[in-house]
């Protein structure tokens, strides 16, 4: 495409719309001047500004995958109740901002009945009553090419099971659940109270014909992070070293002739006891506590049961405000495996190339004295 | 920063390579025994002129000619 | 008999169902077609459902990667996809995703949102993700030839929507809602994030680096956008001076809260004391580590100090290849009003260094490990600070710079023999 004459409306590099232009006037007015907040009931946060202005933020869980027709319904509701403004949170929840307290019930009723999204996902730290928020997750079988598990279907199955904790606030502390459908971990779920990660357990099965037809041999070999791929120049195909491969799927990305799927061996690992906030305990990575569960669509009963038992072991035994990692550090891993009914196996002892030793002494998080 | 300059001949060499497969700048520079910054500038200019284009693995980006990419994508789509 | 017996089981249970969303799209799409609306991907939502049903049966994905990247002039923002079931579901044989740069903080007017949905009704599947985990709006599924006209329609909107990042570029930066709604924000997360996004439009749209680079902005150590775990450069609000206390509000909390048990005892450093008689708290700010616990507990009574700014953590990433890491402290404190300038200055130095010597698919954090923290601090012009570590090193295998040595006879002779010392300056690699 040579440079052609561009039409007058043509532009590039203009970036996102300016956020203040899309913000309710009362938020613009009190920008940076909020005084305090209170959670007045599950899903409803009252925010009071220094000016005395009050807004009610009403939060609803969504499935993340949303139809444009549903978004139009949400817009209709925002027009009716919120002067035409709404926002999403960082965890796939949608929020309506009301200035009139008396409209809260009608708003909730309308969203729940018309759209089917439940109100909740909040926590009241002052009172020590915590609700579960939405599961942050990736694409799975809906759109990605390297997943070892589906994402949306598992999230749905888990949230159905833990629904009562979303719409209420009866947990001892914050609990963040995240899911990534392969070890690339697009959602970067490695620092959550509970994370579910799709894992492949078999190297790519090279389809020589497809490789010859579709692939660039050197680029495919070069894409492997562990140098597990050899070019067989004479046969014009590729060979995988099963001892080096760690099933990341990079080669399949480069070359459709390198599928790494085995429906019977792909599945999920479950990790727990990570966090990102610095509150009390500094940030931590999650640790693997279940090495593998199989794919069982459409409802993944084994996976759901394991997640639930980890969740309940914490929910039933943690002290007020304690997150998973604080809880386990207090009671010890041996007790935790007992309480959650999990089996410890040799897979859970780290034998992967550990991160550089020096990293252990670096300060992660922001806990400082001045 | 000094202006990066190159010859028409260098540009031609880069273009030839780009028509053969998808490249990373670093490899292209190595194969052509040219400075990486010069190769990067040439590729950017070629993209600007529409003679080169991007190809992406989702997480990383490669470069080739539009002709090559079109052909490559057609093969991938058909399987 | 239903065509999708497995997916039909999904709407069971109270949580909102993605299957319902796809089915609804399919029905409405058919209706829109029947009404004579211009729909470029008719039947695509129904076909998607069919393909996912097959995935549920086969227990595997049926997508192949495509390398198609974007629109004229851009090198990122589109994820290419082809179905490997083209005979069965031709409608989604090409099903590329467009990443759209969301308004910072995910604030929308219905007017802006409706316009964008109209564009996607015409050019795509009508299915979206609000939002992808980087924060972009994800428009899920269209054909290569519709990418350009779809973007052109997005340009013409009021306000227009631009495309986000993908590939080896600056990924779409994201921020917590900060000052728009939260009293804890220690700097203007939204404005800084927006300004960085605008400053580096070229880096966002035209991938040229060894790999991706992410910025995320949280207004306080609660880190509501999980920047510490996900961003190469995480900017986390904090403060240096004293926590502001409103003792009257403490008294209100004392009415019903067990301050001793839930605030004092849970402070990680024991920095708080409570006078139960006077119902007042005292904080030893020299021992406070700004963790936010007490402030979270008593938002009405406690506020971060007045000397506000941010800490920059560097290097967070997911497991591939060296294992997962959480970002570590690179700059302990930047005052709020200097933040944008200092971040730009730092980012540009890092990018130049990384672009120059970074290996293919090496994130900045990994490069720092490979080259050493000494060189990194030189690159960004940052003095070492005890706040960068949990504890000093446990081994004595240190490097000293040549000029730090006593210029002894031995040193002189070593030099004569041509011994070289590590410089900690990086030099451009010769080819
Ligand atoms: C009482 C203290 C806290 C307040 C006032 C608070 C405030 C907020 C606000 C205003 C949001 C919406 C942000 C946005 O969507 O951009 C939010 C969301 C979030 N916050 Fe906090 N935060 C608090 C404590 C924490 C802590 C300790 C964590 C630690 C993990 C945390 C993690 C999150 C997460 C993950 C979200 C996503 C919300 C969702 O579920 O959709 N927050 N918080
Ligand atoms: C070699 C490693 C990786 C590869 C090959 C890869 C590939 C991909 C691909 C193909 C997608 C598109 C999924 C789709 O829409 O179909 C994607 C999405 C994404 N990637 Fe990665 N990725 C890698 C690592 C990472 C890492 C380490 C992160 C984060 C730190 C990340 C963050 C994301 C995010 C946030 C998305 C959007 C996912 C969503 O919300 O659905 N990726 N990645
Ligand atoms: S986590 Fe893996 S499978 Fe899932 S969207 Fe990311 S790259 Fe694809
Ligand atoms: S799956 Fe990953 S590690 Fe295994 S051969 Fe392919 S690129 Fe290499
Ligand atoms: S990170 Fe801090 S400032 Fe930002 S929304 Fe969360 S609590 Fe508020
Ligand atoms: S912010 Fe954390 S460390 Fe500081 S006084 Fe409060 S609880 Fe203690």
């Amino acid at each position: 495409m040579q440079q052609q004459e561009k039409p007058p409306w043509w532009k590039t590099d203009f970036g996102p719309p300016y956020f203040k232009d899309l913000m309710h006037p009362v938020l613009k007015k009190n920008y940076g001047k909020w005084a305090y907040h209170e959670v007045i009931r599950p899903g409803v946060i009252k925010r009071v500004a220094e000016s005395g202005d009050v807004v009610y933020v009403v939060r609803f869980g969504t499935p993340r995958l949303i139809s444009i027709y549903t978004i139009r319904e949400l817009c209709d509701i925002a027009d009716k109740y919120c002067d035409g403004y709404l926002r999403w949170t960082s965890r796939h929840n949608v929020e309506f901002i009301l200035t009139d307290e008396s409209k809260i019930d009608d708003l909730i009723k309308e969203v729940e009945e018309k759209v089917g999204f439940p109100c909740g996902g909040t926590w009241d730290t002052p009172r020590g009553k915590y609700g579960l928020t939405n599961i942050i997750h990736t694409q799975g079988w809906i759109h990605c090419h390297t997943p070892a598990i589906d994402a949306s279907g598992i999230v749905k199955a888990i949230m159905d099971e833990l629904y009562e904790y979303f719409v209420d606030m009866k947990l001892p502390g914050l609990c963040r659940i995240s899911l990534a459908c392969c070890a690339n971990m697009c959602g970067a779920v490695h620092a959550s109270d509970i994370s579910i990660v799709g894992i492949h357990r078999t190297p790519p099965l090279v389809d020589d014909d497809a490789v010859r037809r579709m692939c660039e041999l050197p680029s495919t070999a070069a894409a492997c992070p562990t140098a597990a791929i050899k070019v067989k120049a004479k046969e014009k195909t590729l060979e995988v070293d099963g001892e080096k491969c760690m099933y990341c799927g990079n080669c399949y990305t480069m070359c459709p002739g390198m599928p790494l799927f085995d429906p019977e061996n792909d599945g999920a690992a479950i990790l727990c006891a990570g966090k990102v906030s610095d509150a009390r305990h500094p940030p931590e990575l999650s640790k693997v506590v279940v090495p593998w569960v199989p794919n069982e669509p459409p409802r993944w009963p084994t996976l759901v049961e394991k997640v639930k038992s980890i969740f309940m072991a914490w929910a039933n035994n943690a002290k007020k405000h304690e997150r998973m990692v604080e809880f386990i550090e207090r009671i010890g891993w041996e007790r935790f495996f007992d309480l959650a009914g999990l089996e410890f196996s040799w897979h859970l002892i780290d034998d992967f190339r550990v991160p550089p030793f020096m990293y252990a002494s670096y300060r992660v998080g922001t806990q400082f004295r001045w | 920063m000094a202006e990066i300059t190159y010859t028409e001949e260098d540009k031609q060499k880069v273009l030839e390579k780009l028509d053969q497969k998808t490249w990373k700048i670093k490899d292209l520079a190595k194969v052509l025994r040219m400075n990486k910054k010069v190769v990067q500038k040439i590729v950017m200019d070629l993209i600007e002129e529409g003679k080169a284009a991007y190809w992406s693995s989702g997480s990383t980006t490669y470069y080739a000619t539009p002709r090559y990419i079109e052909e490559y994508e057609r093969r991938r789509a058909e399987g | 008999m239903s065509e999708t017996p497995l997916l039909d089981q999904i709407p069971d249970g109270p949580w909102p169902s993605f299957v319902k969303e796809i089915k609804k799209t399919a029905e409405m799409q058919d209706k829109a077609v029947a009404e004579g609306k211009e729909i470029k991907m008719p039947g695509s939502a129904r076909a998607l459902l069919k393909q996912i049903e097959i995935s549920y049966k086969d227990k595997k994905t049926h997508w192949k990667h495509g390398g198609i990247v974007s629109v004229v002039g851009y090198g990122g923002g589109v994820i290419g996809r082809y179905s490997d079931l083209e005979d069965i579901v031709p409608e989604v044989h090409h099903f590329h995703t467009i990443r759209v740069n969301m308004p910072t903080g995910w604030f929308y007017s219905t007017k802006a949102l409706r316009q964008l949905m109209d564009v996607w009704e015409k050019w795509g599947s009508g299915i979206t993700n609000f939002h992808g985990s980087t924060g972009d709006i994800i428009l899920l599924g269209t054909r290569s030839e519709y990418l350009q006209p779809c973007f052109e329609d997005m340009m013409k909107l009021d306000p227009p929507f631009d495309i986000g990042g993908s590939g080896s570029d600056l990924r779409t930066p994201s921020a917590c809602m900060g000052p728009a709604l939260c009293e804890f924000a220690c700097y203007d997360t939204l404005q800084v994030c927006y300004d960085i996004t605008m400053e580096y439009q070229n880096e966002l749209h035209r991938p040229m680096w060894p790999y991706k680079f992410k910025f995320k902005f949280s207004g306080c150590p609660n880190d509501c956008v999980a920047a510490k775990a996900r961003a190469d450069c995480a900017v986390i609000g904090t403060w240096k001076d004293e926590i502001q206390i409103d003792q009257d509000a403490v008294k209100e909390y004392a009415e019903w809260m067990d301050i001793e048990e839930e605030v004092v005892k849970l402070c990680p450093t024991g920095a708080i004391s409570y006078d139960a008689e006077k119902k007042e708290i005292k904080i030893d700010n020299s021992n406070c580590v700004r963790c936010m616990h007490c402030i979270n507990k008593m938002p009405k009574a406690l506020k971060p100090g007045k000397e506000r700014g941010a800490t920059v953590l560097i290097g967070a990433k997911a497991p591939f290849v060296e294992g997962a890491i959480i970002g570590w402290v690179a700059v302990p404190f930047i005052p709020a009003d200097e933040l944008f300038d200092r971040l730009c200055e730092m980012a540009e130095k890092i990018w130049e260094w990384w672009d120059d010597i970074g290996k293919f698919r090496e994130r900045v954090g990994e490069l720092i490990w490979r080259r050493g923290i000494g060189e990194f601090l030189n690159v960004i012009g940052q003095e070492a600070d005890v706040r960068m570590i949990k504890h000093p090193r446990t081994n004595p295998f240190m490097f000293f710079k040549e000029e730090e040595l006593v210029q002894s006879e031995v040193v002189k002779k070593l030099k004569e023999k041509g011994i070289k010392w590590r410089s900690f300056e990086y030099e451009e690699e010769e080819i």
Side-chain angles (χ1 to χ4, degrees):
Chain A
M1 269 160 280
Q2 281 294 342
Q3 307 264 308
Q4 290 155 2
E5 207 43 50
K6 297 283 195 286
W9 43 261
W10 183 274
K11 54 183 171 247
T12 61
D13 299 80
F14 49 92
Y18 187 50
F19 57 94
K20 278 196 184 161
D21 297 337
L22 304 186
M23 202 180 267
H24 193 286
V26 70
L27 303 193
K28 258 194 297 196
K29 177 183 162 205
N30 296 291
Y31 193 85
K33 297 193 198 105
W34 294 95
Y36 69 97
H37 71 280
E38 277 170 358
V39 178
I40 56 174
R41 60 195 253 199
V44 184
I45 309 167
K46 173 179 174 183
R47 293 194 174 265
V48 182
E50 286 164 8
S51 66
D53 288 351
V54 177
V55 298
Y56 300 88
V57 179
V58 191
R59 184 176 290 173
F60 298 87
T62 84
R64 179 176 111 134
L65 184 152
I66 310 190
S67 166
I68 55 167
Y69 301 103
T70 300
I71 290 180
R72 284 184 186 153
E73 289 166 9
L74 295 172
C75 286
D76 291 342
I77 295 172
D79 283 341
K80 183 164 163 195
Y81 292 95
C82 311
D83 311 307
Y85 297 92
L86 73 169
R87 75 174 290 267
W88 266 262
T89 72
S90 53
R91 293 185 78 88
H92 315 320
N93 293 321
V94 64
E95 287 181 344
F96 292 87
I97 292 152
L98 282 174
T99 45
D100 180 353
E101 187 174 7
S102 68
K103 289 187 186 163
I104 295 174
D105 287 322
D106 291 343
L107 171 76
I108 294 176
K109 192 155 165 259
E110 194 151 340
V111 174
E112 294 193 337
E113 278 174 11
K114 278 212 182 119
V115 190
F117 293 170
C119 181
T122 54
W123 55 91
D124 179 349
T125 310
R127 292 188 192 272
K129 292 196 224 156
Y130 293 84
L132 177 68
T133 182
N134 209 336
I135 300 183
I136 193 141
H137 64 99
T138 49
Q139 296 292 4
W141 297 338
I142 302 259
H143 199 255
C144 198
H145 66 296
T146 56
I149 52 176
D150 186 33
S152 314
I154 297 177
V155 167
K156 165 81 169 125
I158 295 174
M159 286 309 283
D160 278 342
E161 191 64 31
L162 302 180
Y163 183 77
E164 59 183 295
Y165 302 98
F166 182 89
V167 295
D168 204 343
M169 301 194 295
K170 53 183 183 181
L171 292 169
L174 278 172
C175 184
R176 300 279 179 248
I177 310 181
S178 328
L179 180 147
C181 32
C182 85
N184 284 330
M185 292 202 196
C186 289
V189 299
H190 51 276
S192 309
D193 297 272
I194 301 179
S195 28
I196 297 127
V197 177
I199 52 169
H200 298 286
R201 303 196 299 168
T202 50
L205 183 62
V206 183
D207 175 346
D208 296 322
D209 256 6
V211 169
R212 280 181 206 119
R213 243 185 7 256
M214 289 186 270
C215 307
E216 291 177 347
L217 305 186
S219 330
T220 308
C224 175
T226 63
I229 302 178
K230 257 209 323 253
V231 177
K232 298 209 290 193
K234 233 200 269 149
E235 295 90 335
K236 291 213 168 59
T237 185
L238 301 163
E239 188 176 63
V240 177
D241 179 345
E243 288 193 36
K244 282 194 190 156
C245 173
M246 52 188 204
Y247 329 126
C248 70
N250 279 343
C251 54
Y252 181 58
T253 304
M254 295 304 294
C255 167
M258 304 283 281
L260 79 164
F261 306 103
D262 178 350
E264 304 313 317
N265 273 302
D266 291 347
I270 306 175
L271 291 76
C272 78
K275 77 195 280 270
V276 293
S277 139
D278 263 281
R280 301 178 304 281
H281 191 295
E284 280 250 344
L285 294 170
S286 316
K287 295 98 188 151
V288 182
V289 292
V290 177
W292 183 77
V293 287
N295 259 322
E296 300 169 310
R299 301 292 286 173
W300 281 268
T302 312
L303 177 57
V304 172
E305 182 218 301
K306 299 267 186 223
V307 168
K308 182 136 194 213
S309 46
I310 293 168
F311 181 83
M312 293 316 298
W314 163 79
N316 290 336
N317 297 288
K319 291 187 179 170
K320 219 177 192 186
H321 306 301
E322 237 173 19
R323 291 186 64 165
M324 190 74 78
V325 60
E326 298 168 292
F327 165 64
I328 297 176
E329 283 182 1
R330 176 168 61 80
I331 65 163
W333 282 101
E334 47 276 49
R335 184 76 59 250
F336 173 74
F337 273 84
D338 281 350
L339 281 174
L342 300 177
E343 210 175 302
F344 191 83
S345 78
W346 68 274
H347 307 97
L348 306 183
I349 303 174
D350 200 349
D351 61 356
F352 186 66
R353 291 189 287 163
V354 284
F357 187 62
M358 61 194 185
Y359 177 66
S361 75
Y362 293 0
R363 195 171 321 189
V364 296
T366 56
Q367 294 200 0
F368 303 136
R369 291 172 181 83
W370 288 98
Chain B
M1 227 185 285
E3 185 70 24
I4 297 169
T5 56
Y6 54 85
T7 63
E8 204 45 46
E9 195 186 336
D10 289 342
K11 193 166 172 181
Q12 213 48 46
K13 278 200 287 190
V14 170
L15 195 55
E16 251 166 58
K17 286 282 166 204
L18 287 175
D19 205 36
Q20 294 164 4
K21 72 180 210 53
T22 57
W23 288 91
K24 296 289 298 177
I25 299 287
K26 208 158 202 170
D27 298 335
L28 199 49
K30 217 184 269 168
V31 164
L32 292 169
R33 299 174 177 283
M34 283 163 64
N35 182 293
K36 211 184 93 181
K37 290 223 161 106
V38 174
V39 175
Q40 181 160 342
K41 173 89 169 84
I42 294 176
V43 171
M44 280 283 123
D45 289 350
L46 285 169
I47 288 173
E48 187 81 356
E49 293 163 24
K51 292 182 187 153
Y54 303 93
W55 188 91
S56 173
S57 79
S59 61
T60 26
T61 310
Y62 299 75
Y63 316 91
T65 58
R67 183 207 68 79
Y68 180 85
I69 288 175
E70 206 167 292
E71 151 76 22
Y72 188 40
E73 281 300 303
R74 199 179 44 71
R75 273 186 288 150
R76 295 174 68 94
E78 283 168 7
Chain C
M1 229 319 259
S2 159
E3 278 189 0
T4 54
L6 292 171
L7 292 182
D8 288 347
Q9 296 176 42
I10 296 231
D12 287 355
W15 189 252
S17 159
F18 67 101
V19 173
K20 197 180 124 202
E21 290 294 318
I22 304 176
K23 283 188 177 163
K24 176 168 166 183
T25 315
E27 279 157 28
M28 298 291 284
Q29 211 173 36
D30 290 351
K31 216 169 98 192
V33 172
E35 281 166 7
K37 262 199 190 172
E38 198 180 355
I39 304 275
K40 299 287 186 183
M41 298 278 291
S44 53
R46 200 171 300 283
L48 176 65
L49 207 58
K50 214 190 248 178
Q51 167 153 342
I52 299 170
E53 175 73 17
I54 297 171
S55 275
Y56 269 58
K57 187 158 65 59
D58 297 350
K59 299 200 267 190
K60 73 188 202 67
T61 190
H62 283 286
W63 297 110
K64 285 190 296 186
H65 185 72
I68 185 103
V69 289
S70 206
V71 295
V72 177
Y74 285 9
V78 170
I79 305 288
R81 283 285 172 268
Y82 305 110
S83 168
D84 67 12
L85 302 170
E86 56 166 310
D87 298 338
I88 305 172
V89 285
E91 300 88 344
V92 296
H93 177 212
H94 294 234
F95 207 63
H96 314 314
T97 278
I98 306 179
R99 293 182 175 174
V100 178
N101 196 332
M102 71 294 186
T104 317
W106 302 287
F107 288 92
Y108 295 93
S109 68
T110 53
K111 175 176 162 247
L113 205 46
R114 283 180 202 277
Q115 291 176 9
L116 186 63
M117 295 306 104
D118 291 347
V119 171
W120 193 236
E121 180 175 37
K122 174 171 172 191
W123 293 107
S125 68
I127 296 168
T128 73
N129 288 155
F130 271 72
H131 296 84
S133 20
T134 314
D136 297 287
I137 303 164
I138 308 283
L139 302 179
L140 210 57
T142 189
R143 296 181 60 86
S144 315
E145 61 268 31
Y146 300 148
L147 294 168
Q148 186 62 33
C150 179
F151 177 49
E152 286 172 14
D153 276 1
M154 279 160 52
M155 274 180 214
K156 286 185 257 183
L157 301 179
D158 172 29
F161 278 87
D162 203 347
I163 286 176
S166 73
S168 316
D169 63 3
L170 175 67
R171 296 302 178 84
T172 309
S174 70
C176 80
M177 63 186 189
L181 269 168
C182 181
E183 67 270 24
F184 298 159
C186 293
Y187 71 95
D188 192 337
T189 50
L190 298 170
Q191 191 65 46
V192 175
C193 179
Y194 179 79
D195 289 344
I196 291 276
T197 310
M198 296 309 286
E199 182 76 14
Y200 297 114
Q201 282 289 301
N202 188 42
E203 283 75 5
L204 200 155
H205 294 305
R206 291 170 199 86
M208 265 291 147
W209 291 329
Y211 205 11
K212 60 184 144 193
F213 189 92
K214 295 185 180 176
F215 270 113
K216 290 190 188 291
F217 301 88
S218 278
C220 81
N222 283 335
D223 192 8
C224 296
V225 289
K228 293 172 209 166
R230 315 193 282 173
D232 299 275
C233 184
V235 184
I236 312 292
T238 186
W239 66 96
K240 260 184 146 170
D241 57 344
E242 285 148 27
I243 291 180
Q244 305 179 56
I245 308 179
D246 174 349
Q247 298 289 5
D248 291 337
V250 173
K251 292 187 178 69
E252 277 178 44
Y253 281 119
E255 300 286 314
W256 53 269
M257 187 188 287
D258 187 343
I259 293 178
E260 189 64 38
E261 273 302 308
E262 289 189 48
V263 184
V264 175
K265 282 201 185 152
L266 293 183
C267 168
T269 60
I272 310 175
S273 53
Y274 177 57
D275 183 334
E277 296 262 295
K278 287 200 214 143
K279 297 197 166 55
E280 284 183 3
I281 66 169
K282 228 166 70 196
I283 298 178
D284 173 6
N285 283 283
S286 66
N287 198 23
C288 161
V289 289
R290 282 108 186 127
C291 84
M292 292 299 291
H293 172 71
C294 60
I295 300 176
N296 288 340
K297 273 298 294 178
M298 306 200 287
K300 225 173 182 172
L302 302 179
K303 294 259 157 1
K306 290 183 173 153
E307 191 185 349
R308 297 178 177 195
T311 300
V312 178
L313 305 183
I314 215 89
K317 57 176 276 298
F320 281 115
V321 176
E322 304 281 352
I325 48 179
I326 295 175
W328 67 85
V329 179
V331 187
F333 190 81
I334 302 177
D337 54 357
E338 298 171 20
L339 202 48
F340 174 71
D341 292 338
R342 295 269 302 271
L343 286 174
C344 291
E345 197 186 320
M346 189 180 86
E348 286 168 26
K349 286 177 182 160
I350 294 176
W351 293 338
E352 200 186 326
W353 178 60
W354 174 52
D355 196 26
D356 209 30
I357 62 175
K359 291 186 192 164
F360 172 51
R361 260 226 271 280
E362 183 173 49
R363 296 280 286 266
V364 166
E366 292 162 316
L367 176 63
I368 296 172
W369 287 351
R370 181 159 66 82
R371 304 287 295 202
I373 206 93
E375 180 170 318
F376 174 69
L377 292 179
N378 256 342
V379 164
I380 62 168
Q382 171 70 39
E383 299 265 323
D385 189 304
V386 65
R387 293 174 189 83
M388 294 170 179
I389 53 161
K390 286 183 192 134
H391 59 75
R393 67 197 300 155
T394 54
N395 62 70
F397 309 140
M398 293 163 283
F399 289 100
F400 288 90
K401 295 178 189 167
E402 189 188 331
E403 62 270 23
E404 289 176 316
L405 299 176
V406 176
Q407 298 302 311
S408 66
E409 282 305 306
V410 174
V411 169
K412 248 180 249 161
K413 283 189 184 148
L414 283 167
K415 274 196 220 163
E416 279 164 23
K417 285 205 178 245
I419 294 279
K420 269 198 184 156
W421 271 265
R422 254 178 89 168
S423 72
F424 297 92
E425 302 290 338
Y426 95 94
E427 284 150 26
E428 287 187 26
E429 270 176 9
E430 292 300 318
I431 305 173

